[in-house]
């Protein structure tokens, strides 16, 4: 709010000039100042000799290591912040203790991140990671990349350029518009099937192929850097979580925190993706929200246009995305040059050439039609995963009457589904001591409470949606290629049941979409929490 496997915080680090040196204590402001590709430090939570989290954090210098990192410069997204979530989720098999010790340059000052919404005390996620890795090995699958995703990528790329070409060359505007719709659909499918895995480092084993796959988002008119900032530093780690103190201060007093004072644990997707929408129970209710379930589908279609023409440029010019410092990407002049050059190039072949072949009015119309098709399809598959009946929200900064922090996700009805699933599990056991303990704010358990699947286990819908139909698996394992999700889904669901953690899945996208609209209707008519 405003204002496995790492060495213990009192560890020693061998230096070049001395046998050993006591590690320096680093403040949050000092850590935050090392947030560019040229000077990148990050903090990760520390453990004791037994592997239990101590509550402290060690500081790693990842500047030079980025060039050697198997995932490439993906690691630089961790710069200047507490990267514990990224550290855990992108390394399901763990990180060698010796490597972390080699990179360690200090420890965070005591209590630097004591107000985190999340707990890491349970073994739920550790067990889940171990079982999923075992399932992938049993099936003979690759954690990153597959023949399936490569074949699909080639088909989608060919379909995009073929549709674009026909949009240029069709003399009949109706036929050109159909080609534009086709182009928009292929662009959306490239977004969820190629760039999504590429920017998560999951498309292939090669960091260069992953970088190219991620670049396809620039190719279809967006910005991979913007996507990384919002999706990987905001939405993924802190799904459906908002800082209540900061939020209320901004609404009640009209005062916004400085960037360096903002809490990183907030999900930009629930407060920024769509204007005129109330997508979190902490949001203030306006009169027009009563109709949001009616106008939402039309608003969804504008998603990609808003991102391409407003959000992308706003970030590169201001150097921030809401509460997220953009220096981790735009602190590099080469990345800035890539941004501007790709914007010019894509505007040439997606807008300039249609205008050349069809005239200004029709050319602009074709450009907009393609974006509307892409936006509608993307928003439809994305929003049902986190804004839907039964999903929970996190309210950071909430305290009880005794002033003790309350970190328990709850639905818009104020209940916590995990209380029911834990109670049901307990009631089914003769010996309740055999039920493993999981806090409500356990990071992995929160992901399960704030995400919803649809068509779970379906190979077809998993491929069609780029793994979005298995949103729970994706949020728990973003570095695993989405083609594996239908094979690990059973393991995840059974482990959730074993620990009494909610696992919500809808029978189809159609059912999920209907429940999403009902949820928006309810959100538009209920009072602010």
């Amino acid at each position: 709010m405003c204002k496995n496997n790492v060495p213990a915080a009192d560890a020693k680090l061998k230096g070049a000039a001395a046998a050993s040196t006591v590690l320096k204590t680093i403040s949050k402001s000092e850590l935050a100042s090392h947030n560019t590709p040229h000077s990148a430090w990050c903090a990760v939570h520390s453990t004791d000799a037994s592997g239990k989290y101590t509550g402290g954090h060690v500081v790693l210098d990842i500047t030079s290591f980025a060039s050697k990192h198997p995932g490439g410069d993906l690691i630089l997204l961790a710069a200047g912040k507490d990267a514990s979530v990224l550290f855990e989720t992108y390394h399901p098999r763990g990180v060698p203790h010796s490597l972390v010790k080699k990179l360690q340059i200090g420890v965070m000052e005591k209590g630097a991140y004591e107000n985190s919404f999340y707990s890491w005390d349970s073994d739920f996620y550790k067990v889940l990671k171990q079982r999923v890795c075992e399932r992938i090995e049993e099936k003979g699958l690759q954690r990153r990349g597959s023949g399936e995703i490569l074949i699909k990528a080639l088909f989608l790329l060919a379909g995009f350029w073929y549709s674009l070409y026909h949009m240029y060359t069709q003399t009949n505007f109706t036929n050109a518009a159909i080609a534009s719709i086709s182009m928009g659909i292929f662009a959306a499918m490239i977004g969820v099937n190629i760039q999504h895995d590429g920017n998560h480092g999951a498309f292939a084993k090669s960091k260069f192929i992953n970088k190219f796959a991620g670049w396809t988002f620039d190719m279809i008119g967006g910005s991979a850097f913007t996507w990384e900032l919002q999706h990987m530093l905001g939405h993924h780690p802190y799904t459906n979580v908002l800082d209540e103190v900061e939020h209320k201060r901004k609404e009640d007093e009209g005062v916004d925190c400085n960037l360096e004072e903002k809490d990183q644990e907030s999900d930009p997707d629930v407060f920024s993706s769509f204007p005129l929408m109330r997508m979190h129970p902490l949001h203030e209710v306006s009169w027009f929200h009563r109709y949001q379930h009616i106008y939402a589908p039309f608003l969804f279609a504008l998603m990609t246009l808003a991102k391409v023409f407003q959000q992308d440029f706003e970030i590169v010019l201001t150097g921030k995305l809401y509460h997220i410092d953009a220096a981790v990407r735009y602190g590099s002049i080469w990345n800035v040059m890539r941004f501007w050059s790709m914007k010019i190039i894509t505007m040439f072949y997606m807008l300039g050439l249609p205008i050349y072949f069809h005239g200004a009015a029709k050319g602009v119309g074709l450009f907009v039609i393609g974006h509307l098709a892409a936006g509608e399809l993307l928003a439809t598959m994305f929003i049902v995963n986190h804004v839907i009946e039964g999903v929970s929200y996190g309210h950071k900064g909430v305290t009880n009457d005794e002033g003790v922090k309350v970190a328990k996700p709850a639905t818009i009805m104020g209940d916590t589904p995990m209380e029911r699933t834990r109670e049901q599990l307990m009631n089914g056991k003769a010996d309740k001591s055999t039920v493993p303990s999981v806090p409500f704010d356990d990071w992995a358990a929160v992901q399960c409470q704030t995400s919803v699947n649809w068509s779970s286990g379906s190979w077809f819908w998993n491929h069609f949606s780029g793994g979005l139909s298995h949103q729970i698996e994706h949020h728990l394992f973003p570095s695993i290629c989405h083609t594996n999700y239908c094979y690990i889904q059973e393991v995840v669901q059974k482990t959730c049941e074993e620990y009494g953690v909610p696992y919500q899945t809808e029978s189809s996208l159609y059912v999920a979409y209907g429940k999403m609209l009902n949820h928006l209707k309810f959100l538009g008519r209920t009072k602010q929490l």
Side-chain angles (χ1 to χ4, degrees):
M1 65 188 67
C2 294
K3 326 197 229 239
N4 301 5
N5 301 318
V6 292
D10 60 352
K12 304 267 180 122
L13 181 67
K14 291 182 178 179
S20 65
T21 353
V22 176
L23 297 172
K24 68 178 292 189
T25 300
I26 296 170
S27 66
K28 288 178 72 173
S29 59
E30 182 178 5
L31 177 69
S33 67
H34 294 272
N35 67 334
T36 70
H38 312 295
S39 180
W41 296 1
C42 70
V44 295
H45 48 207
S46 60
T47 61
D48 59 21
S50 67
K52 184 178 180 180
Y53 298 114
T54 66
H57 288 70
V58 296
V59 179
L60 313 179
D61 185 344
I62 55 177
T63 313
S64 301
F65 179 66
S67 61
K68 310 178 189 70
H69 182 237
D73 69 354
L74 194 66
I75 194 175
L76 294 177
L77 291 171
K81 59 181 67 65
D82 177 8
S84 298
V85 176
L86 299 176
F87 183 85
E88 293 286 349
T89 58
Y90 281 87
H91 306 100
R93 290 191 174 95
V95 177
H97 180 92
S98 57
L99 175 60
V100 178
K101 188 172 182 179
K102 181 180 179 181
L103 297 176
Q104 186 180 355
I105 58 171
V107 297
M108 288 300 296
E109 59 185 0
K110 187 176 181 180
Y113 297 109
E114 64 181 1
N115 69 331
S116 174
F117 182 79
Y118 301 101
S119 164
W120 295 89
D121 298 328
S122 167
D123 68 347
F124 171 60
Y125 194 36
K126 293 177 183 178
V127 170
L128 191 55
K129 287 193 285 187
Q130 180 182 348
R131 291 177 179 178
V132 164
C133 288
E134 289 174 354
R135 172 55 64 91
I136 288 175
E137 291 172 2
E138 288 171 5
K139 292 285 187 180
L141 303 170
Q142 299 180 54
R143 179 169 68 89
R144 293 180 294 164
S146 69
E148 292 179 6
I149 197 173
L150 181 60
I151 293 171
K152 181 165 59 170
L154 293 175
F155 168 74
L156 294 176
L157 289 170
F160 172 79
W161 288 105
Y162 181 81
S163 299
L164 194 62
Y165 171 77
H166 274 268
M167 186 177 75
Y168 300 153
T169 57
Q170 289 292 331
T171 55
N172 181 278
F173 181 76
T174 300
N175 292 336
I178 293 172
S180 179
I181 293 172
S182 175
M183 181 270 294
I185 292 173
F186 275 109
M189 298 302 279
I190 287 172
V192 298
N193 285 283
I194 304 177
Q195 78 84 21
H196 196 179
D197 279 67
N199 283 316
H200 274 303
F203 185 88
K205 288 183 177 180
S206 167
K207 59 185 177 183
F208 301 107
I209 295 178
N210 279 326
K211 198 69 175 177
F212 175 79
W215 168 84
T216 60
F217 198 53
D218 296 62
M219 182 198 77
I220 59 176
S223 168
F225 296 139
T226 297
W227 186 90
E228 287 177 328
L229 293 169
Q230 176 157 346
H231 196 73
M232 297 170 68
L233 297 185
H235 171 63
H236 252 267
Y238 316 117
T239 313
N240 279 11
V241 171
L242 281 185
D243 182 349
E244 182 162 356
V245 174
E246 181 179 333
H247 181 77
K248 286 188 176 298
R249 179 184 173 188
K250 184 174 181 180
E251 284 200 344
D252 297 342
E253 303 175 20
V255 177
D256 195 12
C257 300
N258 295 324
L259 183 61
E260 59 272 15
E261 297 176 324
K262 286 183 175 292
D263 194 316
Q264 72 181 63
E265 293 186 355
S266 280
D267 181 359
D269 277 14
V270 297
F271 64 79
S272 64
S273 290
F274 299 100
L276 307 178
M277 298 287 293
R278 184 179 187 233
M279 299 172 67
H280 196 286
L282 282 183
H283 290 166
E284 185 177 355
V285 185
S286 297
W287 65 268
F288 50 82
H289 288 142
R290 293 178 60 86
Y291 311 100
Q292 67 176 5
H293 61 291
I294 299 173
Y295 61 71
F298 301 99
L299 198 60
F300 292 162
L302 301 174
M303 183 184 77
T304 58
L305 283 170
K307 290 189 178 296
V308 167
F309 283 106
Q310 181 259 328
Q311 189 182 64
D312 288 351
F313 291 104
E314 185 177 287
I315 294 168
V316 77
L317 294 173
T318 64
K320 65 178 182 178
L321 171 64
Y322 309 110
H323 60 292
I324 301 171
D325 193 329
V328 292
R329 281 308 188 214
Y330 293 122
S332 164
I333 186 62
W334 294 109
N335 288 347
V336 174
M337 290 173 62
R338 168 180 148 175
F339 173 86
W340 288 110
S341 61
M342 284 306 302
K343 283 297 182 184
I344 293 171
I345 292 171
T346 55
M347 284 298 159
F348 170 72
Y349 62 71
M350 295 186 76
L351 180 60
L353 287 181
I355 289 176
Y356 173 78
F357 283 104
H358 297 281
K362 291 182 178 179
V364 171
L366 291 171
F367 176 81
V368 171
I369 288 171
H371 266 287
L372 294 178
E376 191 66 44
L377 180 57
L378 283 172
T380 295
M381 290 193 292
F382 271 115
I383 195 168
V384 297
N385 296 314
H386 303 292
V387 183
I388 187 174
E389 291 178 355
V391 79
S392 294
Y393 297 87
H395 306 158
K396 187 174 181 182
V398 177
T399 57
N400 59 21
D401 295 338
E402 288 74 41
V404 179
K405 180 186 78 170
V406 177
K408 187 166 66 172
T411 69
I412 55 175
M413 302 298 292
D415 65 314
T416 299
M418 189 167 162
E419 289 182 332
R420 294 195 299 273
T421 54
R422 291 286 297 173
E423 182 180 0
Q424 290 167 3
L425 181 62
M426 291 282 192
N427 292 338
K429 298 284 186 179
D431 183 1
K432 292 180 172 51
S433 64
T434 61
V435 177
S437 174
V438 186
F440 293 111
D441 60 349
D442 176 87
W443 181 85
V446 172
Q447 293 301 308
C448 296
Q449 295 172 78
T450 56
S451 303
V452 175
N453 283 6
W454 47 273
S455 299
S456 290
S458 169
W459 180 90
F460 173 80
W461 287 112
N462 184 64
H463 265 287
F464 179 86
S465 66
L468 296 182
S469 61
H470 291 100
Q471 191 71 186
I472 295 173
E473 286 73 21
H474 176 57
H475 270 252
L476 293 169
F477 301 99
S479 67
I480 292 180
C481 182
H482 78 259
T483 57
N484 293 327
Y485 292 158
C486 55
Y487 303 113
I488 67 172
Q489 180 269 331
E490 180 187 12
V491 173
V492 175
Q493 185 171 7
K494 286 185 176 180
T495 304
C496 285
E497 292 171 355
E498 179 184 333
Y499 279 78
V501 174
Y503 187 94
Q504 182 176 343
T505 180
E506 303 300 338
S507 59
S508 67
L509 177 58
Y510 175 79
V511 172
Y513 195 82
K515 289 189 175 183
M516 177 272 296
L517 290 178
N518 287 336
H519 185 71
L520 287 178
K521 181 178 181 180
F522 190 83
L523 269 173
R525 302 185 181 200
T526 55
K527 294 182 178 179
Q528 181 180 12
L529 294 182

